[in-house]
Amino acid sequence: CISACPKQANAIHFGTLSSSAARWADTTTGSAIDTAAHTMSIGTNAVSGYSITYLGDTLKSGTNDINVATIAGDADGTPGSEQFAVAFSTAGDATIAAGYEHATPNWKFVANTTSTVVSETVPTNTEVISAYYLANIATNTPSGSYSTSITYIATGNF
């Protein structure tokens, strides 16, 4: 959500977006600094590890939307242009898919397409994956309460 939205246990928020600076989602009112919005813990005994995928749409308010983005090597994208993207990091040795590596920093979002973001190729003890969400808007982005739903699926690779 970009402005006043009902808080849910699994909801994250950007707060009010501005065309002059990037915004990152968190569990309260959004952040002016790069921060993880939530974490996922995963472990498996599957012989070929696991994969984490997501499926969701871009941020929308009625018929208006914020463009999805692929941002390479830039921590805050391009303030003043419409961008919505995610990035991931791990405290373990999982592989973050190309384009989603928060440490680089790379950001990406593919709307309405199941996309792999994290994987492991062997059985693994519990690892913590952090998810980051970045939003930028242009001066002509229509005002509104933008939101989306993103579903994450963890699959054991047997």
Side-chain angles (χ1 to χ4, degrees), residues 85-99:
V86 297
F88 300 87
S89 67
T90 179
D93 63 355
T95 299
I96 307 297

Side-chain angles (χ1 to χ4, degrees), residues 91-140:
D93 63 355
T95 299
I96 307 297
Y100 295 98
E101 312 97 324
H102 184 259
T104 303
N106 289 333
W107 300 87
K108 184 175 180 179
F109 194 82
V110 181
N112 302 312
T113 301
T114 301
S115 302
T116 300
V117 291
V118 181
S119 62
E120 187 72 77
T121 59
V122 296
T124 185
N125 289 326
T126 301
E127 291 187 68
V128 176
I129 310 299
S130 297
Y132 302 79
Y133 300 80
L134 170 69
N136 283 305
I137 59 170
T139 55
N140 64 346

Side-chain angles (χ1 to χ4, degrees), residues 7-66:
K7 304 234 183 211
Q8 301 172 9
N10 57 356
I12 58 174
H13 310 273
F14 282 104
T16 302
L17 299 180
S18 165
S19 61
S20 63
R23 221 39 207 170
W24 291 268
D26 67 17
T27 58
T28 57
T29 59
S31 178
I33 59 170
D34 189 356
T35 187
H38 59 84
T39 60
M40 301 173 252
S41 296
I42 185 167
T44 185
N45 64 352
V47 175
S48 296
Y50 65 83
S51 300
I52 297 176
T53 60
Y54 73 85
L55 177 62
D57 205 351
T58 190
L59 296 171
K60 290 190 174 188
S61 177
T63 59
N64 299 316
D65 63 17
I66 294 177

